[in-house]
Amino acid sequence: MKREKINILTNEIKVLCLLYDEKLTRAEISERTGLDYSSVSYIALRLESLGLIRIAGTKKVKKGPLEDMYEITEKGIQEIRQELNRVWNYMEILLRLKETAAVSITS
């Protein structure tokens, strides 16, 4: 039987969570998540096209050119809440399974 990995926090949700606290550039997101810049650029483009983030200005990063700063939208905040609810539901299921397994082992 093939075991599937549950990816609790996708890279998109990680980016949304970072942007919940502050406005960041792609370079800053890349630095904080450990994702390469091109991956962050793709994720930002995708999230922006879904209306979950938006450009909130520009910022000079180190010695490079001006870079767009992103902020989360209300729709993005709702997506984080939904994802956290899904994660919580998974955890409740896992805890019930653990309790069931403990009961059957001791019985």
Side-chain angles (χ1 to χ4, degrees), residues 4 6 9 30-31 36 45 49-50 58-60 89 101-102:
E4 292 196 28
I6 298 173
L9 282 177
S30 175
E31 187 176 292
D36 59 70
L45 183 63
S49 72
L50 294 170
T58 56
K59 179 180 180 182
K60 190 165 181 74
N89 289 336

Side-chain angles (χ1 to χ4, degrees), residues 11-24:
N11 292 331
E12 287 83 359
I13 294 297
K14 288 176 188 175
V15 170
L16 288 174
C17 288
L18 281 175
L19 294 175
Y20 184 80
D21 290 330
E22 61 185 310
K23 299 172 187 173
L24 297 169

Side-chain angles (χ1 to χ4, degrees), residues 5 9-10 18-19 42 47 59 63 67 74 77 79 87 92 98 101:
K5 180 181 174 189
L9 282 177
T10 64
L18 281 175
L19 294 175
Y42 173 78
L47 293 175
K59 179 180 180 182
K63 295 181 181 180
E67 207 177 311
E74 186 59 39
I77 292 169
E79 184 62 31
V87 169
E92 285 180 331
K98 182 179 178 184

